[in-house]
Amino acid sequence: MQEEFPYRIDWALPKEWPEAMQMIWKTYLKFEAGDYTEEGIRNFFEFVTDDGLYQSFLRGSYKLLLAHDGDRIVGAASMRNCNYLSLLFVDEEYHRRGIGRRLMDCLCDYLKRTTDATEIVLRAAPYAIGFYERIGFTKIREEEQIAGIRVTPMKKPLF
């Protein structure tokens, strides 16, 4: 018998944006910043604190899905340009509980229902490549460095 998933998954509300970005930044510093140059760390910080990104979220062009444990935000996944996974982070205390997988499943289901996209694409951080491979992503190209950030382009079919 499968255990019930104990976390709530919902689209983010504007009031949740600051807490979500704080969780993302904290998790990034713990697990990913060590793989990047100072330029990359600065660029990532500027990305998650950019008012333009927040304005895109408010307009609905930057989708943010959150996982909650009660009132606490414990996971976040965002998309832009229809089928591009922009961010996926799970709070350190909640790793290996299926939250990242569930967020990805929800995003893929959303894309299948609302778009004609045939795949979801992303640029994986070195720390996350194994996770993405386990949930069905494959490498498109080898690792690249963009603005001090090491990434591996990956994709996953939606159907």
Side-chain angles (χ1 to χ4, degrees):
M1 183 168 159
Q2 187 174 3
E3 185 178 317
E4 186 175 323
F5 188 72
Y7 309 105
R8 186 177 88 251
I9 306 284
D10 288 310
W11 293 109
L13 302 172
K15 68 180 182 179
E16 295 175 305
W17 182 266
E19 182 184 347
M21 293 303 120
Q22 282 184 320
M23 184 276 299
I24 289 167
W25 176 242
K26 181 182 99 177
T27 305
Y28 167 84
L29 287 175
K30 174 76 177 183
F31 295 100
E32 295 185 21
D35 289 327
Y36 300 135
T37 65
E38 283 186 35
E39 175 194 20
I41 295 167
R42 184 176 57 252
N43 285 334
F44 187 84
F45 178 76
E46 289 172 2
F47 178 72
V48 297
T49 59
D50 180 50
D51 188 58
L53 186 66
Y54 178 62
Q55 293 304 316
S56 293
F57 163 73
L58 292 176
R59 285 191 306 275
S61 58
Y62 189 81
K63 301 286 189 191
L64 179 63
L65 193 60
L66 300 176
H68 299 84
D69 184 4
D71 291 334
R72 181 178 176 187
I73 295 171
V74 298
S78 62
M79 287 188 337
R80 62 180 171 194
N81 302 334
C82 178
N83 69 331
Y84 177 79
L85 180 72
S86 179
L87 299 169
L88 176 62
F89 285 86
V90 175
D91 185 285
E92 174 184 12
E93 294 177 38
Y94 290 81
H95 281 196
R96 302 206 171 272
R97 296 187 190 186
I99 294 169
R101 179 180 296 269
R102 182 64 62 99
L103 286 166
M104 287 302 304
D105 288 347
C106 289
L107 286 179
C108 290
D109 289 345
Y110 170 78
L111 287 174
K112 289 176 195 177
R113 287 191 324 273
T114 63
T115 73
D116 58 359
T118 58
E119 62 187 14
I120 186 167
V121 295
L122 57 84
R123 291 183 178 140
Y127 179 80
I129 291 171
F131 166 76
Y132 289 122
E133 288 175 334
R134 285 190 299 279
I135 64 170
F137 281 82
T138 57
K139 292 179 185 178
I140 299 170
R141 293 184 303 280
E142 292 305 311
E143 183 179 281
E144 308 168 340
Q145 185 163 311
I146 302 169
I149 299 173
R150 293 172 46 209
V151 294
T152 300
M154 301 181 85
K155 69 179 180 177
K156 176 181 178 176
L158 291 172
F159 298 98

